[in-house]
Amino acid sequence: MAAPIAAPPANLQGKSDQPNFILGSAFLGTKSFNILQILHISPSLHNLRIRHIFMTSEFERRNPYSEELKRTAAYIAQPGKGILASDESNATTGKRLATVGLDNTEANRQAWRELLYSAPGLGNYISGTIMFEETLFQSTRDGVQFVDILKKQGIVPGIKVDTGLQPIDGTDGETATQGLDGLGERCRRYYAQGARFAKWRAVIKVDSEKHPSSTSILENAHGLARYAQIAQANGLVPIVEPEVTLGPGDYSIERTAYISEKVNSHVFRFLNEYNIILEGILLKPNMILPGLDVPTPPPEEVAKYTLRTMMRSVPGAVPGIHFLSGGMSEEEATLNLNALQAYGPTPWSLTFSYGRALQSSTLKIWSGKEENWKAAQERLVALARANSEAQLGKYTGPHPSPGGTRILQTLRLGGAGK
């Protein structure tokens, strides 16, 4: 039987300058305490005095964008939609354009992004688009700003804010992400231009033995947290991207799961240390895949390990987990996303933030030719639709771009634009 509710201590009864303890009880060991011992109450309920007990951080309480950040994140993470990642740097975009015989000029980069953003019906399946800095300030051939083209379709403009990877001294090819210097001022400028979310990519090298090092994990977790704090302070929802990158080797899917869980746990510890508003972020992790020298696992196996990793390491307050396509083929990315939905409701939306998996065959169809413009846009929308269906667990095929193989992604080191 529970102990009776304790009476107020005799030395406090009837004194107007001390708290009285009433209404309800809590138990600690063998002692019974009234729950409103936490509250400062005067003897008369007509003269109630409550000591403010804040359950949010000073950063959240004083941030004028707090509610906007939460609304934006929830909107982007809505069911049936995902993110088009088109934030490739000028150098990376140039390499992609070269595969279809196009020079890396501003005019060609502008035309390629216009094709993507102006695709009719894209907003039915895409809720946000990540852009590179040059692209954020560009316009269509008719003089309409890209951000306005996107917003007209209900797509939130976003911006890549990191400035590239640099080697960590004393490690075997591990990297840290640069870009914190001047980030606050840049975020304010991007917000004024219409961006409402940001992206910062951290790359974690994995193998079957020694990688990643604790140095790499801690350095990248810190960078992600500090970036997220600066972004939220300036009105941008931060996409937090701790990518355990798909690379060469025979490491197992269990190894990737273990490392990804460890990395995510460190990242969220740092996010909490920096008082990040978790309802106002989005997570962009890797799916759980083995090394490139291991046969491609079936979607059901990828989904099992991916969901287990997320459940163990990602707080339920986060609205959306937007998986990157990494080195997966276009079809593999869709099938794996669809398989993730078979496990029933989750605390977060399990959706996509795909770049190559939405653009690769689209670019090949266009190849810089005006007569291919409409067909390329139709391919982009078909790929977006397939992944929208996959996010809802309703994808049945056939895929717009079937087949394909996983690709080793080359990491580009250097500063901005690399």
Side-chain angles (χ1 to χ4, degrees), residues 313-337:
S313 60
V314 181
V318 177
I321 299 178
H322 294 250
F323 292 100
L324 56 92
S325 53
M328 293 185 288
S329 71
E330 292 172 319
E331 184 174 28
E332 182 186 3
T334 303
L335 293 173
N336 288 343
L337 181 64

Side-chain angles (χ1 to χ4, degrees), residues 241-371:
E241 183 176 354
E243 178 184 349
V244 178
T245 190
L246 178 63
D250 60 356
Y251 58 89
S252 67
I253 194 169
E254 291 90 349
R255 171 71 173 170
T256 305
Y258 168 72
I259 295 300
S260 297
E261 182 182 332
K262 184 176 182 180
V263 168
N264 290 347
S265 298
H266 277 83
V267 167
F268 279 99
R269 170 62 189 275
F270 273 82
L271 292 175
N272 285 327
E273 290 289 343
Y274 279 81
N275 294 313
I276 302 307
I277 306 165
L278 294 183
E279 295 88 348
I281 75 166
L282 298 168
L283 184 69
K284 183 174 178 176
N286 51 284
M287 291 189 189
I288 306 303
L289 299 166
L292 287 169
D293 296 336
V294 176
T296 301
E300 295 74 20
E301 185 175 5
V302 174
K304 180 183 75 172
Y305 283 103
T306 300
L307 185 59
R308 189 189 75 177
T309 299
M310 301 303 120
M311 292 295 290
R312 288 181 174 183
S313 60
V314 181
V318 177
I321 299 178
H322 294 250
F323 292 100
L324 56 92
S325 53
M328 293 185 288
S329 71
E330 292 172 319
E331 184 174 28
E332 182 186 3
T334 303
L335 293 173
N336 288 343
L337 181 64
N338 190 68
L340 276 168
Q341 316 305 323
Y343 288 86
T346 59
W348 355 257
S349 172
L350 296 173
T351 185
F352 61 95
S353 178
Y354 289 169
R356 191 189 299 269
L358 292 173
Q359 297 182 50
S360 185
S361 62
T362 303
L363 178 61
K364 290 178 183 177
I365 291 173
W366 175 53
S367 294
K369 299 176 181 178
E370 189 67 27
E371 61 268 26

Side-chain angles (χ1 to χ4, degrees), residues 95-124:
K95 293 176 74 71
R96 303 273 174 86
L97 293 174
T99 65
V100 293
L102 294 176
D103 293 332
N104 186 14
T105 64
E106 183 177 355
N108 283 337
R109 294 192 299 270
Q110 182 277 338
W112 168 231
R113 265 54 182 267
E114 180 176 348
L115 183 150
L116 298 175
Y117 303 154
S118 63
L122 186 65
N124 294 329

Side-chain angles (χ1 to χ4, degrees), residues 14-25:
K15 294 187 178 182
S16 61
D17 61 341
Q18 298 288 349
N20 275 345
F21 310 119
I22 58 174
L23 301 177
S25 64

